[in-house]
Amino acid sequence: MKIYTPAELAKMYHIHPNTIRLYERLGYISTPERATNNYRVFTELHVLQIRICRCIFGYPFTNRNIRNAGNEIMWASAKQEWSIGRQNAERYIQTIEQEIEIARKTTSILNRWVNTVNPQKLSTNINYLSRKEVADYFGITIEAVRNWERNRLILSVGEGEKGERLYSSTDLNRISIIYMLIQAGFSIAAIQRSLAMYENGHTNEMISALNNPKHEELVSVGDQWLHELVRLEKAAQAIPSIFDELTTL
């Protein structure tokens, strides 16, 4: 049986040896046995478990739903529950696909926003969602939605029977843009400036209002978001076959 040191595993995956220790501490890989000198003994089992971790980590633009689904895969792998891990991997891929669908819809909305002379002419289909439904849709917390309300990024005019905030389809379009820009690292203040330009009919100034030199075009933010999610999906699609390898050890 071939054995590995933390340094050898780290070199294999171009990560720091402390990352291997972190994976062990978080329960993402099985606890290694100890040699007579008390050093950890890593095997091919850990090589494959860490490969799963690397398929999940290292990609931007992931939300709470994706992160939680990824954790379930790694925890099942660490417990050597191969069939459960494979099932979790399939759910993980589906979760990423849902995020990709949000990204595609948001990019389409963004293109319409940037190219619309009069923002008020955009269609408004009345289909109300609660704070929790909005949070679940984007894979964020209810507190994040409240924070956007407090910062006046979103202003709900709908109210339910119990006085709860309700958001329409039009609100959801706006929230989609906010979600995308926050995922891309823009500050609340920058997003406020950009949305103010949009609301005042200055769609051509939405980009410059963000005041972020990393992005020359606002639309490129959506393109980059989608590009990274597709990369994440490709990495995720390799995970089921790793579980197949694990079953043969």
Side-chain angles (χ1 to χ4, degrees):
M1 179 181 67
K2 183 172 175 56
I3 61 174
Y4 302 85
T5 66
E8 288 172 331
L9 286 178
K11 184 177 180 181
M12 188 181 300
Y13 290 105
H14 308 288
I15 55 180
H16 194 279
N18 285 343
T19 303
I20 307 293
R21 298 185 184 95
L22 177 63
Y23 290 168
E24 182 186 349
R25 189 165 68 250
L26 294 175
Y28 292 159
I29 62 175
S30 299
T31 302
E33 295 182 1
R34 298 273 182 165
T36 54
N37 58 8
N38 205 35
Y39 286 175
R40 290 175 175 82
V41 176
F42 293 94
T43 66
E44 195 64 31
L45 167 70
H46 300 98
V47 171
L48 293 176
Q49 288 176 335
I50 293 171
R51 189 189 302 172
I52 289 174
C53 293
R54 299 316 297 165
C55 285
I56 293 170
F57 291 121
Y59 297 89
F61 304 145
T62 60
N63 65 16
R64 181 183 58 173
N65 289 344
I66 293 175
R67 287 192 298 273
N68 290 346
N71 284 339
E72 293 296 334
I73 296 171
M74 294 181 289
W75 288 330
S77 171
K79 294 175 185 175
Q80 302 184 39
E81 298 172 339
W82 309 141
S83 60
I84 293 175
R86 207 180 194 288
Q87 291 170 10
N88 290 344
E90 296 297 341
R91 283 195 288 270
Y92 178 64
I93 293 169
Q94 291 173 2
T95 302
I96 296 170
E97 288 172 347
Q98 291 169 0
E99 182 76 356
I100 288 174
E101 182 61 23
I102 291 174
R104 286 180 175 143
K105 287 180 178 178
T106 303
T107 302
S108 175
I109 293 167
L110 183 56
N111 277 303
R112 293 206 314 272
W113 274 31
V114 172
N115 294 299
T116 299
V117 176
N118 184 356
Q120 303 306 319
K121 290 184 178 180
L122 289 176
S123 61
T124 57
N125 298 317
I126 304 302
N127 180 23
Y128 288 103
L129 298 175
S130 67
R131 268 198 198 110
K132 184 180 185 306
E133 288 170 327
V134 168
D136 289 344
Y137 180 80
F138 291 102
I140 58 178
T141 63
I142 295 175
E143 182 55 32
V145 179
R146 288 197 181 99
N147 184 49
W148 297 350
E149 292 169 356
R150 285 193 293 268
N151 285 283
R152 303 186 68 80
L153 292 178
I154 51 178
L155 301 171
S156 171
V157 294
E159 194 172 285
E161 294 179 357
K162 298 180 181 179
E164 70 273 21
R165 294 286 183 90
L166 295 177
Y167 297 92
S168 69
S169 306
T170 304
D171 295 322
L172 200 62
N173 288 349
R174 182 187 180 96
I175 296 170
S176 296
I177 301 297
I178 294 166
Y179 171 73
M180 181 195 73
L181 293 174
I182 286 177
Q183 287 284 83
F186 288 102
S187 68
I188 295 291
I191 297 171
Q192 286 172 331
R193 289 194 301 270
S194 184
L195 291 176
M197 290 298 175
Y198 172 75
E199 290 163 349
N200 292 322
H202 305 303
T203 56
N204 60 322
E205 295 181 43
M206 284 182 66
I207 299 168
S208 58
L210 285 168
N211 193 27
N212 191 319
K214 292 191 298 183
H215 300 284
E216 294 179 359
E217 294 184 8
L218 182 57
V219 176
S220 73
V221 178
D223 293 339
Q224 181 67 13
W225 180 25
L226 188 54
H227 171 73
E228 293 295 343
L229 286 171
V230 170
R231 286 181 64 229
L232 179 62
E233 181 186 31
K234 184 177 179 180
Q237 288 170 342
I239 297 175
S241 64
I242 301 174
F243 276 106
D244 292 340
E245 289 186 62
L246 284 163
T247 60
T248 65
L249 292 179

